Amino acid sequence: MPLTLRLALRDWDYMTPLVLGDVSSPKLDIKVDRVGTLLSHVGKSDSYDAAEMSFSRYTQLRIDGDESVVGIPNFIMRGFRHRCIVTTKDSKLRELGDLAGKRIGVTGWRDSGNTWTRAAVRREGVGVEDAMWYAGRLTEAHPIVDRLDGFGRAGRIEAAPGERPMVELLKEGVLDAIFTPFMPDGYFASGSPFRQLLSDFRGAERRYFDEVGYVPGMHLIGIKSEIAAEHPWVIEELSRLIDESQRMWLSKRRKYAETTPFMFDELLKCAAELPEGWDASGFAPNRKMIADFAGELHAQGILPRLMTPEELFPLDIDGRPVAAAA
């Protein structure tokens, strides 16, 4: 009898084979729920045994001594951040360094993606203290919630004025730029008033990869520690299925690339410009990225002390302690 595992995930395309059952295991019966919003704390959930979770939120659990969730170093959301900085088409901002002294909107202060974007900007000499920051909802369709998460500072990090949508504030010139990985409706239309800050963000991202050696990871899989302890094999099996789903989807994507014009060219460029294994799961291939992220969280004042990769991920994708795996 296979173990049933209730898993909450966002709609990442490469999870499709897993969701449809094209990828399966005789040991593990995975029940996937597609969620639009990440769980606040899978360790306290009555509905799920494992879930996609923010890398930043996971580090907060670890530093707080909350060991009810163990993170699997399988980063199911990765992405370069240079493309996630948006401004208006008539803006004079062209380089990351131009953000010094500007008013920047973020959709959540300690969100993993925004942490990585600030890291990219910090590499160009613009730190947290060098700009004015506002946290708020991207559009009218998004809810008004606390996006400062306790990190607000008057005159430096504040809520968006009047809790108004940041796209409106950007159009009106109240904000100079917005950090967001998810573009608002109409962004891709020819008449959109917005553009990426960097005209050649792809070139900037390639240079970034050449310098750091990784594509930043934002989300990972967290599993209840009690389940991992009772069934030590479950981490390895779950990670294997996720990796297999990704491989199967990439193969299908390359075969059916005609669904999106120019996608074939993009797939060729990605294969040529990124080395094989750039998205490998596991502790060792991701140790530098994990260490850099922990360093950024500390440098940006989100974590009170620097955490080591081994503190953050006590278990590898095979379920063994990382010290033993090393």
Side-chain angles (χ1 to χ4, degrees), residues 5-10 33 35 37-43 45 48-54 69-72 74 76 219-224 238 242:
L5 192 77
R6 302 164 300 169
L7 176 63
L9 291 175
R10 276 184 170 174
D33 264 6
V35 296
T37 303
L38 299 184
L39 272 64
S40 59
H41 195 320
V42 66
S45 173
Y48 300 102
D49 307 305
E52 175 181 351
M53 63 186 305
S54 157
V69 177
V70 60
I72 304 174
N74 189 319
I76 64 172
H219 294 176
L220 53 108
I221 295 292
I223 185 170
K224 288 181 176 176
L238 176 58
I242 290 171

Side-chain angles (χ1 to χ4, degrees), residues 35-94:
V35 296
T37 303
L38 299 184
L39 272 64
S40 59
H41 195 320
V42 66
K44 298 179 180 178
S45 173
D46 294 326
S47 302
Y48 300 102
D49 307 305
E52 175 181 351
M53 63 186 305
S54 157
F55 193 1
S56 176
R57 303 269 173 182
Y58 173 68
T59 61
Q60 189 66 53
L61 292 184
R62 299 301 297 182
I63 203 167
D64 287 345
D66 185 341
E67 298 184 356
S68 63
V69 177
V70 60
I72 304 174
N74 189 319
F75 293 90
I76 64 172
M77 179 189 178
R78 294 179 187 259
F80 291 116
R81 307 305 299 180
H82 298 72
R83 66 189 61 199
C84 299
I85 307 173
V86 175
T87 188
T88 55
K89 283 186 175 175
D90 60 358
S91 171
K92 295 181 180 180
L93 304 180
R94 297 290 174 183

